[in-house]
Amino acid sequence: MFQRVFSRLKQGLKKTRDAFASGLKALVRIGRRVDESFLEELEEAMITADMGVQTTEELLEHLREAYM
């Protein structure tokens, strides 16, 4: 039973990871500045990847403090 639950969790996390990775690849380019437009696109990629609102908001807050 535990193995089946673990397998389902692993599959779900893979979908999240793949969705976020593809969104991040589209976002990040060499020389691109971290500005409000970048942060909005990152937020959309994170929410689309089901990373959670709280996690997304915390990361964006840290990025704003560091780069803006």
Side-chain angles (χ1 to χ4, degrees):
M1 181 172 150
F2 176 75
Q3 190 170 10
R4 188 174 72 210
V5 171
F6 182 72
S7 177
R8 289 182 64 197
L9 176 62
K10 189 174 175 181
Q11 286 177 326
L13 291 174
K14 181 183 180 332
K15 290 178 186 177
T16 298
R17 182 182 64 238
D18 292 348
F20 181 65
S22 67
L24 195 56
K25 285 178 187 177
L27 256 175
V28 178
R29 297 187 299 270
I30 294 175
R32 179 155 183 197
R33 297 182 57 123
V34 176
D35 57 12
E36 199 57 40
S37 174
F38 173 85
L39 294 175
E40 288 174 8
E41 291 176 46
L42 179 59
E43 179 180 22
E44 182 179 340
M46 292 177 72
I47 296 295
T48 301
D50 293 327
M51 293 188 73
V53 174
Q54 183 176 351
T55 301
T56 299
E57 288 176 354
E58 289 177 11
L59 177 64
L60 294 175
E61 181 181 330
H62 289 292
L63 288 172
R64 281 188 178 94
E65 289 173 3
Y67 292 101
M68 299 181 90

